Amino acid sequence: CNLTGWWENDLGSKMQVFGVGRDGTFSGEYHTAVSSAKNPIRPSPLVGSQHLDDDGQCTFGFTVNWKKFSDSTAVFVGQCFKEDDGREVLHTSWLLREKVDSETDDWKATR
């Protein structure tokens, strides 16, 4: 699986991976279509790592820093699958950490 290029999810969010290094590291931008932030959504930087496998069904992970419009950070982990027609599909899970004002509010900071 080659993560380089544009990817779009079911909610309309898009990510662009600029290129994957020989060691599996990559960077790019995430263009989210959903947000609870009060500020207008802006493209946000991402950095990640891909486990390069010969079978093309690699695992990967990346972090998105929403610093351009929000006080939160998200991490994604997933795997790329090749379908019978050769199309590559990513399946991911994510965690979002929002900034809270106090330690007592820590319980509600992660989704």
Side-chain angles (χ1 to χ4, degrees):
C1 182
N2 184 351
L3 294 179
T4 302
W6 284 95
W7 298 88
E8 184 172 355
N9 72 12
D10 296 336
L11 300 175
S13 296
K14 297 176 183 171
M15 115 173 140
Q16 182 182 20
V17 174
F18 300 139
V20 179
R22 297 179 87 159
D23 62 353
T25 59
F26 60 89
S27 65
E29 281 189 333
Y30 200 93
H31 302 247
T32 188
V34 295
S35 172
S36 62
K38 294 177 175 82
N39 296 324
I41 295 172
R42 305 270 319 249
S44 300
L46 69 83
V47 294
S49 183
Q50 176 181 1
H51 186 257
L52 303 171
D53 283 338
D54 292 334
D55 68 2
Q57 301 199 134
C58 63
T59 59
F60 60 90
F62 60 91
T63 302
V64 178
N65 184 334
W66 308 108
K67 66 183 176 182
K68 294 184 176 184
F69 68 93
S70 175
D71 288 333
S72 61
T73 303
V75 293
F76 294 76
V77 293
Q79 184 172 346
C80 180
F81 295 94
K82 282 197 173 184
E83 296 190 337
D84 292 338
D85 63 2
R87 191 171 69 111
E88 295 174 335
V89 176
L90 306 182
H91 285 260
T92 61
S93 296
W94 57 270
L95 289 172
L96 176 83
R97 176 65 188 218
E98 294 179 300
K99 180 181 174 183
V100 291
D101 294 329
S102 68
E103 187 177 357
T104 57
D105 290 333
D106 184 63
W107 67 271
K108 65 181 181 179
T110 304
R111 291 193 256 164

